[in-house]
Amino acid sequence: MKPLLTYLKDLFASRRIVGEDRPLQGLLQADTLLRSLISEKKVPGLAITVLKHGQTVFQQGYGHTDLDRGSPVDPRKTIFRIASVSKPIAATALARLVAEGIIDLDASFYTYVPYYPAKGYDFTIRQLAGHTAGIRSYRGKEYALNEAYSIKEGISVFKDDELLFEPGTDYHYNSYDWALISLAIEEACQQHFEAVVGHRVLQPLGMAHTFPELSGDSTPLGTVFYSKNSRGFRKAVPVDNFYKLAGGGYLSTSEDIAKLGQAYLDRAIADTSVISEFLSSVTINGEPTYYGLGWEVSMDKKGRTYYGHVGNGVGGYSNFFVYPEHGTVISILINCTDPKVQEPLDEIIDLILEAV
């Protein structure tokens, strides 16, 4: 790739992306901060893609996919574990199934999965999608579970536990909600969940580098996943995320994730009436949860409205934000378990939004 300054000057001069002459200082400051994350050994590798009104205005790779080999990150090709950014992908498939009349958000989960153990209360697909169904989150070593479960087999991890609260009365974020939704999708469509997502989301949106991580495939396309401790980076423990594919099991590139966000800005997913249900915050007793259906829905510190998701999983950390009033999509992927860099990422995102 071209040096960043040359790349930006060429981009702005030839296409006038921002519509007026603005200094490149903000993007160069963002680049400096991104480089410092590598030079200060805070992350092993990072990819960023930024779209403005559908045009790529900032796209770079930093650091390495494999520290031993020194292979550079390419934002168009380097595959990362995207963790909970998988939820917006699954939510997009669900939205299309709702639009097609195949799944009813307000139907009982048991309508689709009657064999799931009965609880003290019924709960709906909508409540699962908005994390108000009362399903529990990880316990003990479940976060890094390394069992080759199918989606249907995977519910054995939590299916016999009682609900945390009466559905609709509280909010509890977790990935098991989306494991259950993916199972409901499989039963409703009589297809594997990954096939449904492929046909209704990945292929139509041109997300050719997004796919499930298969059991035992610890280094897809050469990417090594790391964890970090006081002594530096080490290879992350083996993990099998397939059973929770919808909640945190997909692999992707920063460019592909940006395509997903742009499809929402282009209103290319489903009717506005359907999408608005997914991108509107759920409320509990009149108070917003700042979460829609598979999407974080909130405002940043400067009052800019966004929807998207942050993801943290074994060997992967991700930021994915869509700023509809700004016409901007930002996708940042890192090949390391929670590297504790959200504060500088927030600063980087702010610099980019001010610049573009």
Side-chain angles (χ1 to χ4, degrees), residues 5-330:
L5 183 58
T6 302
Y7 163 75
L8 291 174
K9 284 182 175 178
D10 288 350
L11 182 69
F12 279 63
S14 64
R15 296 164 71 180
R16 293 295 183 192
I17 297 298
V18 294
E20 60 182 27
D21 290 325
R22 289 186 182 182
L24 304 181
Q25 193 61 36
L27 291 181
L28 293 174
Q29 286 179 313
D31 175 68
T32 298
L33 287 175
L34 287 161
R35 291 181 186 279
S36 72
L37 294 179
I38 302 300
S39 64
E40 296 172 12
K41 300 187 185 306
K42 293 183 177 179
V43 303
L46 179 151
I48 180 169
T49 298
V50 181
L51 306 181
K52 174 78 171 183
H53 300 316
Q55 303 292 335
T56 302
V57 295
F58 188 80
Q59 185 174 60
Q60 288 287 304
Y62 300 85
H64 301 98
T65 64
D66 184 330
L67 293 173
D68 292 334
R69 296 183 178 182
S71 47
V73 170
D74 184 333
R76 295 162 296 187
K77 297 179 181 179
T78 299
I79 300 296
F80 294 83
R81 285 179 177 158
I82 64 171
S84 286
V85 171
S86 301
K87 292 181 177 73
I89 293 175
T92 304
L94 178 61
R96 289 195 153 165
L97 293 172
V98 170
E100 294 171 30
I102 294 174
I103 286 186
D104 181 350
L105 287 173
D106 294 310
S108 166
F109 170 71
Y110 293 93
T111 300
Y112 306 101
V113 189
Y115 50 82
Y116 192 74
K119 306 301 175 185
Y121 302 95
D122 192 8
F123 52 90
T124 66
I125 299 296
R126 184 189 299 274
Q127 288 168 335
L128 288 170
H131 302 300
T132 65
I135 304 297
R136 71 169 178 85
S137 49
Y138 301 128
R139 290 178 182 166
K141 297 181 179 180
E142 291 172 7
Y143 176 74
L145 191 65
N146 190 29
E147 297 287 345
Y149 290 139
S150 67
I151 291 171
K152 187 173 183 177
E153 291 168 340
I155 66 172
S156 64
V157 175
F158 59 89
K159 68 181 179 65
D160 294 323
D161 295 305
E162 292 303 315
L163 301 180
L164 300 179
F165 48 80
E166 180 181 349
T169 66
D170 206 347
Y171 170 86
H172 183 74
Y173 177 81
N174 66 93
S175 285
Y176 293 150
D177 279 336
W178 281 89
L180 291 178
I181 290 173
S182 64
L183 181 57
I185 287 174
E186 287 195 333
E187 297 291 0
C189 296
Q190 289 297 290
Q191 281 185 292
H192 291 305
F193 172 72
E194 64 271 26
V196 175
V197 172
H199 295 152
R200 285 177 168 82
V201 181
L202 305 182
Q203 294 169 19
L205 300 186
M207 297 172 65
H209 295 98
T210 303
F211 45 85
E213 184 177 358
L214 300 178
S215 179
D217 186 10
S218 60
T219 56
L221 302 183
T223 304
V224 177
F225 305 121
Y226 294 94
S227 291
K228 185 181 178 184
N229 58 26
S230 59
R231 292 177 303 219
F233 300 113
R234 58 182 175 81
K235 290 183 180 179
V237 298
V239 64
D240 194 315
N241 293 319
F242 186 82
Y243 79 100
K244 57 177 182 180
L245 181 57
Y250 272 98
L251 302 169
S252 192
T253 63
S254 68
E255 183 169 90
D256 261 19
I257 296 303
K259 288 179 181 179
L260 176 65
Q262 189 60 44
Y264 275 79
L265 290 181
D266 292 341
R267 300 182 180 181
I269 303 300
D271 290 344
T272 302
S273 60
V274 173
I275 295 305
S276 65
E277 294 194 72
F278 283 75
L279 301 182
S280 299
S281 175
V282 174
T283 59
I284 300 292
N285 298 322
E287 295 295 323
T289 63
Y290 300 103
Y291 201 93
L293 305 181
W295 293 85
E296 296 174 11
V297 182
S298 190
M299 290 189 299
D300 65 16
K301 292 180 180 179
K302 293 193 175 178
R304 293 173 293 219
T305 301
Y306 71 85
Y307 51 88
H309 224 291
V310 173
N312 178 42
V314 175
Y317 191 78
S318 50
N319 276 200
F320 169 42
F321 300 117
V322 181
Y323 285 82
E325 296 174 4
H326 204 266
T328 302
V329 180
I330 300 175

